[in-house]
Amino acid sequence: MGAAPFPVPTGSLLALGALLFCIGLFGALTKRNLIIVLVSIELMLNAANINLVTFSRLGVAPSLSGQVFSLFTMTVAAAEIAVGLALLLALFRLRKTSEVKDLNIHKW
């Protein structure tokens, strides 16, 4: 395998993951459009993937466990986006809007 041609410090990768997670959390909590909320959740999952791969590099014997968990997280994220977009299309056909505040199920 060999060493990486340009090793990135662990602190920089963790800071990148934290920054991406904070941006995703801000978007998920403040935006009104459901598509933006789904993209923000995807950004938070990608930040978690960066942290998983970063922590798998640490230790006496670096392992692939973080990369395997990251692969499972990507699979869950793809399924989440597919289900979320299907629900969004169904609600858009019913309500003619994709705003989060207008998607109250009890209101017809």
Side-chain angles (χ1 to χ4, degrees), residues 10-100:
T10 304
S12 298
L13 290 173
L14 292 177
L16 175 66
L19 180 67
L20 287 177
F21 190 85
C22 289
I23 292 171
L25 184 65
F26 177 76
L29 294 177
T30 60
K31 300 301 177 188
R32 297 179 189 212
N33 192 343
L34 194 58
I35 295 174
I36 302 297
V37 172
L38 287 173
V39 169
S40 298
I41 292 171
E42 184 76 22
L43 189 63
M44 291 188 324
L45 287 171
N46 286 331
N49 287 339
I50 289 173
N51 286 336
L52 284 170
V53 172
T54 300
F55 283 125
S56 73
R57 293 186 342 162
L58 297 177
V60 177
S63 64
L64 292 176
S65 61
Q67 295 173 12
V68 171
F69 283 131
S70 179
L71 183 65
F72 286 137
T73 306
M74 283 188 254
T75 306
V76 168
E80 174 254 334
I81 288 295
V83 171
L85 287 177
L87 288 172
L88 174 67
L89 285 174
L91 286 170
F92 185 78
R93 287 179 183 165
L94 182 66
R95 302 279 170 81
K96 305 294 186 228
T97 183
S98 66
E99 299 293 317
V100 175

